[in-house]
Amino acid sequence: MERLWLVLAIVAFFLLCLWGMYVGWRRKARSQSVQVPPFPAVPEDAGEALLESTGVYVATTFAGEWQNRVVTRGAGLRTGAVLRLHGGGVAVERGGAPDFWIPREAITGVRRDTKIAGKVMGTDALLVLTWRAGDTELDTGFRGDELDDYPQWIEQLKIKGGAQ
């Protein structure tokens, strides 16, 4: 009987931790919903894709704060994704989470990086797009299936978007 109480106490503690994480996530999302405007939807007339990469949408963070994940409006969910470059911007199409659009004129930088919001890698395996959503500058990280595609992304976004 003593063992049963111990097991129940451990299970109760585990459930309390899960509940605390859930409440914290919701509170963070609520506070960020004021700071971060809604992400633009992918336009229906985006045109032909100039470049496409499959992989994993890792996270969106506040620019320069690689551990400060944006969780509002589903942006905190890591999902399989397809990144498509169009003439007017980049479509981030995520499985199981809302897709969003990064207008080309909003892109202020593009780079390879090793870390973003809980994902750290030994090589420059992440493609990070820095962009402005309203007055807020964000970093969106993508881990492509083919890392050899990254130079094309960087070159395309530097030439036409003026990104660095």
Side-chain angles (χ1 to χ4, degrees), residues 108-112 127-130 153-154 157-158 163-164:
T108 59
V110 59
R111 68 183 186 281
R112 294 179 77 145
L127 181 67
V128 178
L129 302 175
T130 303
W153 279 95
I154 292 169
L157 290 172
K158 275 185 179 178
Q164 299 176 10

Side-chain angles (χ1 to χ4, degrees), residues 91-113:
V92 182
E93 298 175 7
R94 304 183 300 156
D99 300 340
F100 63 93
W101 176 256
I102 303 174
R104 190 179 285 269
E105 63 274 4
I107 297 172
T108 59
V110 59
R111 68 183 186 281
R112 294 179 77 145
D113 210 333

Side-chain angles (χ1 to χ4, degrees), residues 51-58 79-85 91-95 125 127 141-150 153:
L51 196 55
E52 181 176 307
S53 292
T54 59
V56 176
Y57 163 83
V58 180
T79 62
V82 177
L83 216 59
R84 288 192 175 93
L85 175 65
V92 182
E93 298 175 7
R94 304 183 300 156
L127 181 67
F142 178 78
R143 168 68 161 98
D145 293 335
E146 295 293 330
L147 302 183
D148 295 337
D149 291 348
Y150 291 178
W153 279 95

